[in-house]
Amino acid sequence: MTAQDRAPRPASPVIGDPAPARAAAEPSGVDLARVALRAAKEAARARGDVARQKKQARRGGLRSGARADGRDPMALGAAINRLISERGWEAPAAVGGVMGRWPEIVGEDLAKHCVPERYDEDERVLIVRCDSTAWATNLRLLAPALVARLNEDLGHGAVRLIKVLGPGGPARRYGPLRAPGSTGPGDTYG
């Protein structure tokens, strides 16, 4: 007889007997030791983290370690990009970049006489002021091509319309040297 023949054999499971199901579900032996070891390691790690944080707080605050975390300083460009994306300022920031590159986009001649003033984000309208009515008329004729060029740079639909304003005249003053009924120098502007 061999050692296998001498070993006791388990009884055949009886239908309705919960013992075999319970034995399979409960860890025993090595499995039970692994579970206990894992729980002990997690508890020790938690105690160590708490103790380390208390120790660092006594020394003057939490400090960064060798690995990067959210408290580490970051480059200015990365910080600004993160702020823009968190606040949802992508479109206004892109249009602001266009205003900075205005001479490159429209050309030097047009940029000397026409300056972008503001961008209405809700209406998607770029407002441009020109220094004379002739340049304002010229820009109105070029507006569709300019909208297409801006949407190439900014993404489709960022600018729907360019509103062109003529030159602003001086403030209208009333005084003794004014003719009644005259609108003054405003007659020649706009």
Side-chain angles (χ1 to χ4, degrees):
M1 217 167 160
T2 64
Q4 289 178 348
D5 293 335
R6 279 184 254 153
R9 292 189 181 171
S12 62
V14 178
I15 296 177
D17 185 16
R22 219 178 317 126
E26 295 177 4
S28 62
V30 177
D31 293 332
L32 188 58
R34 284 186 186 139
V35 169
L37 180 62
R38 185 178 309 125
K41 282 183 178 180
E42 288 175 6
R45 188 175 300 123
R47 282 192 312 271
D49 288 344
V50 171
R52 186 173 355 113
Q53 288 175 354
K54 285 181 183 177
K55 187 176 178 182
Q56 286 177 345
R58 281 192 305 260
R59 276 195 240 149
L62 297 176
R63 298 190 181 148
S64 289
R67 294 184 189 96
D69 63 3
R71 298 173 293 153
D72 287 342
M74 60 173 48
L76 181 62
I80 289 174
N81 288 337
R82 181 172 151 191
L83 179 68
I84 287 172
S85 64
E86 285 175 356
R87 303 287 170 115
W89 294 339
E90 287 90 2
V95 172
V98 164
M99 290 182 179
R101 295 182 298 122
W102 184 252
E104 297 171 20
I105 294 171
V106 298
E108 292 294 327
D109 292 337
L110 195 60
K112 288 179 193 174
H113 301 284
C114 303
V115 178
E117 282 192 347
R118 66 182 178 271
Y119 174 70
D120 185 4
E121 184 178 359
D122 297 330
E123 299 289 325
R124 296 188 324 252
V125 174
L126 180 66
I127 299 169
V128 180
R129 181 163 306 271
C130 296
D131 61 0
S132 71
T133 54
W135 282 104
T137 303
N138 189 18
L139 187 62
R140 283 186 190 104
L141 293 173
L142 294 173
L146 192 55
V147 167
R149 167 87 162 112
L150 290 171
N151 283 330
E152 266 181 32
D153 285 355
L154 303 174
H156 183 67
V159 177
R160 188 178 55 81
L161 177 72
I162 293 180
K163 185 175 181 181
V164 181
L165 303 176
R172 297 181 183 182
R173 290 177 246 137
Y174 298 98
L177 300 177
R178 309 239 343 144
S182 169
T183 58
D187 286 342
T188 60
Y189 293 108

